[in-house]
């Protein structure tokens, strides 16, 4: 849910015993820190999203800023360029919320949705990005064969 209404946030927090996903919308960092963190449970998540289709409006560094409050930050994709998702993962998003469907139909979220035919490829790319964020091993061994000139 998304709300700057403290009474509503308190009511939701007290009612549900499951993880809560706080869609922070256009809330400022100060508002998020003041309102949400006082109710935030260890398993809860902030969902960051930009309400714009333009890549230049995504402001993904805000994900890193949110990680000052909690490591549980997710990204809701609203960009027309779905590749923005990979940058969000690099910025620290642990979960991704996407829209998908048959783009031949008039979907309400058509501009920022993924066609069902692209879902498998996209999912594979997301998993590769997440795997690439693993810790660097202490002992590095080359796994690439280089050409040798004689």
């Amino acid at each position: 849910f998304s709300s700057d209404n403290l009474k509503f946030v308190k009511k939701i927090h007290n009612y549900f015993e499951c993880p809560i996903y706080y869609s922070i919308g256009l809330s400022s960092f100060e508002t998020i820190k003041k309102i949400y963190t006082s109710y935030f449970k260890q398993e809860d998540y902030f969902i960051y999203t930009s309400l714009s289709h333009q890549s230049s409006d995504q402001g993904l560094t805000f994900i890193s800023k949110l990680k000052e409050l909690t490591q549980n930050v997710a990204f809701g994709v609203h960009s027309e360029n779905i590749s923005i998702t990979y940058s969000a993962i690099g910025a620290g998003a642990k979960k991704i919320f996407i829209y998908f469907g048959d783009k031949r139909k008039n979907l309400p979220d058509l501009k920022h949705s993924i066609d069902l035919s692209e879902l498998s490829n996209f999912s594979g790319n997301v998993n590769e990005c997440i795997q690439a964020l693993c810790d660097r091993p202490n002992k590095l061994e080359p796994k690439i064969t280089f050409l040798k000139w004689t």
Side-chain angles (χ1 to χ4, degrees):
F1 68 89
S2 177
S3 175
D4 287 344
N5 180 331
L6 187 55
K7 196 178 206 178
F8 178 70
V9 172
K10 186 176 181 178
K11 189 173 189 174
I12 292 293
H13 173 78
N14 291 335
Y15 186 80
F16 292 102
E17 293 183 22
C18 61
I20 297 173
Y21 291 80
Y22 295 86
S23 180
I24 57 168
L26 300 175
S27 299
S28 70
F29 184 78
E30 291 74 30
T31 299
I32 295 164
K33 188 174 181 179
K34 178 182 170 189
I35 293 178
Y36 297 112
T37 56
S38 60
Y39 296 101
F40 205 81
K41 297 178 293 210
Q42 186 175 354
E43 66 273 10
D44 292 346
Y45 271 81
F46 287 131
I47 303 174
Y48 172 74
T49 190
S50 173
L51 301 177
S52 170
H53 290 132
Q54 302 301 313
S55 298
S56 59
D57 291 337
Q58 297 306 300
L60 297 179
T61 56
F62 199 72
I63 292 171
S64 300
K65 183 88 173 150
L66 288 171
K67 289 184 72 107
E68 294 174 17
L69 303 175
T70 178
Q71 293 299 301
N72 292 349
V73 180
F75 178 61
V77 182
H78 281 90
S79 174
E80 286 184 80
N81 181 351
I82 204 66
S83 297
I84 293 296
T85 305
Y86 311 136
S87 295
I89 293 167
K94 284 180 142 182
K95 294 187 179 196
I96 305 297
F97 289 82
I98 60 169
Y99 297 82
F100 60 91
D102 185 346
K103 288 188 87 163
R104 294 173 297 179
K105 298 182 178 178
N106 190 18
L107 302 172
D109 297 300
L110 180 68
K111 286 191 173 192
H112 56 269
S113 66
I114 300 171
D115 191 76
L116 288 172
S117 65
E118 301 170 14
L119 193 55
S120 178
N121 186 49
F122 175 76
S123 176
N125 288 340
V126 166
N127 286 331
E128 290 284 330
C129 287
I130 292 168
Q131 289 173 8
L133 289 172
C134 64
D135 288 332
R136 186 173 178 174
N138 290 333
K139 183 179 178 188
L140 297 175
E141 295 183 27
K143 294 183 179 179
I144 299 173
T145 304
F146 294 99
L147 295 174
K148 292 184 182 181
W149 295 93
T150 56

